Amino acid sequence: MQETGPRTALEAVTWPRLLLSRWPWRSLAYLLSTLPLGAVTGALLTIPAVLLATGSAAGTLAPRTAVALIVLELLLVVGFGPWFARPLAATERRRLAWVDGRPAPERRRPIDGASGNPVLARYADPATWREVGWLLVLATAAPAVSAAALLLGLLVGLYAVSPLVLLAQGPGDGPVALGPWSVSTVAESVPFAAAGIALLPVVGYVWTVVAGGLADVARRLLVGAESEIRAELVEVSRSRARLADAFDAERRRIERDLHDGAQQRLVSLTLQLGLARLDVPPDSPAGRSLASAHDQAKELMTELRELIQGIQPQTLTDLGLPAALGELADRSPVPVHVDAALGSRPDPKVEYTAYFVVSEALANVAKHVGAAGSARVTVRGAAGTLTVEVTDDGPGGADPARGSGLAGLADRVAVMGGKMLLSSPSGGPTTVRAELPCGPDGVL
């Protein structure tokens, strides 16, 4: 099995090939870019706080001035922060790609969410204050931590090349400073060079850890923790399932009302018109009108029966998916061969979704291929998946973006936790394949 590399810098720390990969250099780029961003952000937001701390330490700050500096700092953070944080957060999401390969979408409420006022909407959005939180981190801790990691790398690199620096010096040059120590001869620099060479791999790990840690903080503030995102996805899936259940319940109610109400009244009307025709001479104007009305009522009853059949096929309810698909193929204007092999009946929701996929796919075949074509429907239930495949010998080139109903099919399949695949090269054939999750032998 092919080894997959780490997705983030923190994952790369435990990767055996870290020092031979691009992660240390990506981390270096991330740390270097943090310094100017942190400097600009700190200059804009923390000047009052720095003046307050300096004056308090020196004991020269008047109480009134201290209060003014505190108020100014609050105004900068609370008033100006949300507006400055948004473009900075967008920049940070792009920077995250250097040390974090996962998507970093912007997660915020619609801008008109607070009574239609965009200003109130921004201040009422929790994502805004998470961005302000990252703004404060970037103005304070992030530059300091990044500078410390970079200075460590600079010091270790200077240790490693200290003999070369001494050799390149002229006779009158002074000693070379190596942090708290200094060396004047090549012999004195050899232990430092050995230590620097030995510590060079450590620098790569330190850069990766620090950059990965800062990126993790940024992701938690700007995107949210993975657990929060998974919880939101679960809630979205449950919401879609509830909508699908509500749709199915409403569909069954409409079918029941049509069957027990409109259809029965239409049957009664048809019978009355038929009896009325017996009492009127067929060649009279009234007889011809009654005959026309009787024929139209029978046609309408046929159309209504087909409509009810499309909403909730009785054959599907009584006999199952293979029989319902066979009946669907018989009504199709295109010759259709059905090959359905199921161990046992699926859950009714899965069964109806499969029927819906085949019905819509055959409707597309009839619309775009015509009676000259043919189609094949294959249904299999095994290994916890119900697979439905509809293939036609049409010209191909099906595109969900052109309103062919394929996007709606994909949405309907996705509600059930399944997936839909489309193959439609130019010249054909076109294959629509839906995979719906089931239990063993097709039973949930």
Side-chain angles (χ1 to χ4, degrees), residues 54-232:
T54 304
S56 299
T60 59
L61 194 64
R64 184 175 299 178
T65 306
V67 172
L69 289 174
I70 293 173
V71 172
L72 179 59
E73 182 67 28
L74 290 175
L75 288 176
L76 284 174
V77 173
V78 178
F80 181 66
W83 303 94
F84 181 52
R86 187 165 188 179
L88 186 67
T91 302
E92 183 61 32
R93 290 188 183 92
R94 289 191 291 269
R95 285 205 316 144
L96 280 177
W98 299 350
V99 290
D100 194 329
R102 296 171 295 179
E106 185 178 12
R107 300 169 62 231
R108 61 173 62 250
R109 295 174 182 172
I111 195 64
D112 58 349
S115 303
N117 190 316
V119 176
L120 293 179
R122 179 163 297 186
Y123 279 91
D125 191 352
T128 296
W129 300 107
R130 290 198 299 268
E131 291 174 353
V132 172
W134 173 245
L135 193 72
L136 296 176
V137 172
L138 192 58
T140 53
V145 174
S146 299
L150 293 172
L151 286 175
L152 175 64
L154 181 63
L155 184 61
V156 170
L158 183 59
Y159 278 18
V161 300
S162 57
L164 299 178
V165 174
L166 288 170
L167 289 174
Q169 284 185 339
D173 294 333
V176 175
L178 300 177
W181 302 279
S182 61
V183 292
S184 303
T185 65
V186 174
E188 293 177 353
S189 69
V190 169
F192 292 96
I197 294 173
L199 290 175
L200 281 177
V202 177
V203 172
Y205 278 93
V206 171
W207 285 349
T208 307
V209 169
V210 173
L214 290 176
D216 186 64
V217 173
R219 167 172 285 277
R220 290 177 181 273
L221 289 173
L222 301 180
V223 182
E226 291 295 322
S227 59
E228 296 177 2
I229 298 175
R230 284 195 295 269
E232 290 185 4

Side-chain angles (χ1 to χ4, degrees), residues 209-295:
V209 169
V210 173
L214 290 176
D216 186 64
V217 173
R219 167 172 285 277
R220 290 177 181 273
L221 289 173
L222 301 180
V223 182
E226 291 295 322
S227 59
E228 296 177 2
I229 298 175
R230 284 195 295 269
E232 290 185 4
L233 290 176
V234 169
E235 180 56 32
V236 169
S237 299
R238 290 175 177 172
S239 176
R240 294 177 67 178
R242 287 193 296 268
L243 289 175
D245 291 342
F247 170 78
D248 289 338
E250 184 66 14
R251 173 176 51 79
R252 288 191 295 269
R253 185 191 65 79
I254 293 173
E255 184 271 337
R256 185 173 58 252
D257 291 346
L258 289 174
H259 184 274
D260 298 339
Q263 187 179 31
Q264 298 302 323
R265 295 177 62 183
L266 187 56
V267 170
S268 177
L269 175 61
T270 304
L271 290 175
Q272 292 179 22
L273 289 174
L275 292 174
R277 290 180 62 183
L278 299 177
D279 299 332
V280 177
D283 295 334
S284 66
R288 288 192 293 269
S289 298
L290 280 173
S292 176
H294 189 213
D295 293 339

